[in-house]
Amino acid sequence: MSRIRTLIDEATIASKVKELGKRITEAHRGHELVLVPVLKGSFVFAADLARAIDLPLSIEFFACRSYGDGTESSGVVQITYDLTKPIEGKHVIVVEDIVDTGLTMTYLMENLATRKPGSLELCALLHKPARTKVPVTIDHLGFTIEDVFVIGYGLDYGEKYRNLPYLGVLEPE
Ligand code: 5GP
């Protein structure tokens, strides 16, 4: 069994998400947005973020699988669920739970850029700069964190813990 140490509590997450929503709203005044949550990890963050943005928007999900040795992605990414509509000329904001090595997001942003969106930005809740392999521009960032494995608020360990309302770290008893 493991103990869960709270890394970022519910209230702190809620106020950061509101702040991100406000910043995106101000930066895109007059635009209609397409939010692209990357499944599965960002489903909770995206649900809260969407409600913090005061602009007309639509949601298009995207899912990919990143091959690796279990703990680290290799940069070889397979799209397992693609957008259902073209994004040409649209103002797109990709919503990601965490940027770790940056390999997944680099692939994904390059892939979406080929579809010629009007603008393309990345909003990530968490960033672990200590693990960067490929630098990724994060236009809207929630929190920078240390090199720990995070669970909760959508993030899993073996598909569990996604429903924890806060961000935590698993620690051995
Ligand atoms: P990257 O390609 O940036 O190394 O991988 C990013 C993906 O790895 C994230 O979208 C997430 O699915 C997974 N990941 C990276 N760090 C963590 C973490 O601390 N906790 C969890 N649950 N997943 C992580």
Side-chain angles (χ1 to χ4, degrees), residues 38-41 66 71-75 77 96-106 126 128 131 136 145 148-152 154-157 162:
V38 184
L39 295 174
K40 298 177 187 171
S66 181
T71 57
E72 193 156 296
S73 63
S74 61
V77 179
E96 175 66 316
D97 51 358
I98 183 163
V99 176
D100 186 27
T101 62
L103 288 163
T104 306
M105 264 310 112
T106 299
L126 302 168
K128 278 192 225 173
R131 304 246 313 157
V136 178
I145 59 164
V148 286
F149 191 82
V150 185
I151 52 162
L155 288 113
D156 75 311
Y157 175 66
R162 293 193 197 273

